[in-house]
Amino acid sequence: MSAFRSLSRAMVLGLLRDRTAVFFTLVFPLMFLALFGALLRDSGVASSTVVQVGAVDVLDDMPADQRAALSDALTIIETGDRDQALEDVREGDVDAAVWQDAEGRIELRYSAADATTAGTVQGLMQSIVQGANVAATGQPPAFQLATDQVEDHSIKPIQQLTPGLLGWAIATGAAYMSAFTLVNWRKKRILRRLWLAPIRPSTVISARIGVSLAMAFIQFAIFIGVATIPYYGLTLSGSWWLSLPLVACGTLAFMSIGLLIGAWAKTEEAANGALQIVVLPMAFLSGSFFPTDGMPSWLRAVSNVLPLKHLNESMQDVLTRGQSYGAALPAMLGLLAFAAVLTLISARLFRWDNA
């Protein structure tokens, strides 16, 4: 125990003395959470702006309550200058222009430069026209569509943002700390002195695991503490505590990546380059910064084999989606299996010094 405490203390002090490591391990991921959380906290459904030229019966005769409900998605600006309205659409100042011709036909003009906005405006106007046609018949519609979201209506972007950025922070901290400790200690011949000292390898490994787990839990506490303040408003589900064993398993998985790179690299520069190539692209492909739903199918297939993807999704499930053991256990077992395989490979490549 004395050797374990001494090694753990040496690792912690080595980390704290390296201000760059402290910044990129603790502060840098938290900056992303604070920045993105502030930028996206008030985000909602995007509103489209349509210029109404002259009288348009389907808009002018719309009941006040329907017009008020429509205002969240559609802003209508009235004008009498059709040419200027069309020019505003071309310039991108407004999303569409609408008018009614002498025969009663509704004319809609939009820009194809933004396909998403154009599709939204067309859908809204089509719905308004169809509703007016049904009302003109005096008969109730034969079919009605009722829609609602599956999430709670109070859901906020922070609910999606926190688990992904937390997973990235854990992956970065665990991988970098284990890789740089191994390379630095080999370079300074500390590993050789430990090899010659009456200290078992299991003690050295246990100290490294203990320090990495402690750092991961500190990251978790800081992230959740910041995200749950009223300004950001993260709401935890009933099984949020299952994220703690997920953090532990994720730490071990990414420690194994760090050990593999640390066993291979001879210098800090080589280790840093390898970690950048591995961890950062994995974060983008695993949904740490944005959802992966819009990726091509082949890229989603690559994403599905990455350990960070499963850590992020399971963290999301237990932190904010209200899921329990069924979502956490498979991910934990997979992360532990991944850690075991890479640790065995690292042991094959391990060397006590650079000679």
Side-chain angles (χ1 to χ4, degrees):
M1 287 301 295
S2 177
F4 174 82
R5 286 193 298 268
S6 298
L7 286 170
S8 299
R9 183 173 180 273
M11 291 175 186
V12 171
L13 290 176
L15 173 65
L16 295 179
R17 290 189 185 114
D18 190 344
R19 295 181 181 180
T20 303
V22 172
F23 175 80
F24 282 102
T25 301
L26 291 177
V27 181
F28 190 58
L30 192 62
M31 287 172 56
F32 275 79
L33 177 69
L35 177 62
F36 289 163
L39 291 175
L40 300 176
R41 63 187 294 263
D42 296 322
S43 65
V45 178
S47 176
S48 301
T49 302
V50 173
V51 177
Q52 176 185 334
V53 182
V56 179
D57 293 342
V58 294
L59 297 176
D60 296 336
D61 298 339
M62 186 181 297
D65 58 339
Q66 293 184 19
R67 186 127 184 179
L70 186 65
S71 64
D72 290 337
L74 191 66
T75 300
I76 300 173
I77 302 173
E78 298 184 6
T79 184
D81 190 340
R82 183 188 301 179
D83 291 336
Q84 183 60 48
L86 291 173
E87 183 63 24
D88 289 341
V89 175
R90 292 189 190 96
E91 294 293 330
D93 297 329
V94 296
D95 299 314
V98 61
W99 64 88
Q100 185 172 336
D101 65 16
E103 298 177 357
R105 184 171 55 189
I106 308 298
E107 299 283 351
L108 179 70
R109 299 293 182 271
Y110 56 86
S111 172
D114 188 340
T116 301
T117 301
T120 301
V121 171
Q122 289 181 79
L124 287 169
M125 289 304 302
Q126 189 75 10
S127 176
I128 293 170
V129 171
Q130 288 179 355
N133 287 334
V134 170
T137 65
Q139 300 293 325
F143 302 98
Q144 293 185 358
L145 175 66
T147 64
D148 201 357
Q149 65 186 48
V150 296
E151 300 89 357
D152 186 272
H153 285 276
S154 63
I155 194 166
K156 299 177 180 179
I158 196 71
Q159 303 288 105
Q160 308 286 334
L161 194 62
T162 303
L165 289 178
L166 178 58
W168 171 56
I170 291 168
T172 301
Y176 274 74
M177 281 193 295
S178 56
F180 277 98
T181 297
L182 205 57
V183 172
N184 187 263
W185 282 19
R186 186 188 300 115
K187 182 178 178 181
K188 295 181 178 180
R189 294 187 174 272
I190 296 175
L191 285 180
R192 173 167 284 278
R193 288 197 289 269
L194 290 173
W195 180 36
L196 298 174
I199 299 174
R200 291 178 297 179
S202 59
T203 304
V204 180
I205 295 170
S206 299
R208 178 69 271 171
I209 291 175
V211 171
S212 294
L213 287 175
M215 187 61 64
F217 289 132
I218 290 172
Q219 287 177 311
F220 176 83
I222 294 174
F223 259 76
I224 299 303
V226 171
T228 52
I229 64 176
Y231 180 79
Y232 295 114
L234 175 69
T235 302
L236 298 176
S237 70
S239 299
W240 69 268
W241 57 270
L242 281 171
S243 56
L244 294 173
L246 272 170
V247 167
C249 294
T251 300
L252 294 177
F254 284 93
M255 269 191 68
S256 68
I257 293 178
L259 290 175
L260 180 61
I261 292 175
W264 164 80
K266 293 184 178 181
T267 64
E268 287 97 337
E269 292 77 11
N272 182 58
L275 287 165
Q276 293 283 2
I277 292 173
V278 172
V279 177
L280 193 58
M282 190 186 299
F284 280 100
L285 293 174
S286 300
S288 290
F289 302 106
F290 52 81
T292 59
D293 299 337
M295 290 182 179
S297 58
W298 67 269
L299 203 54
R300 286 200 304 272
V302 173
S303 173
N304 288 332
V305 302
L306 299 176
L308 186 54
K309 172 69 177 295
H310 298 283
L311 175 62
N312 287 344
E313 288 192 345
S314 299
M315 198 81 75
Q316 177 89 62
D317 289 338
V318 299
L319 269 179
T320 62
R321 290 176 179 164
Q323 297 192 41
S324 188
Y325 292 98
L329 285 178
M332 285 191 277
L333 293 174
L335 290 169
L336 290 176
F338 178 86
V341 171
L342 259 67
T343 301
L344 290 174
I345 298 173
S346 303
R348 295 276 185 173
L349 298 176
F350 177 79
R351 57 192 183 277
W352 291 98
D353 55 36
N354 288 325

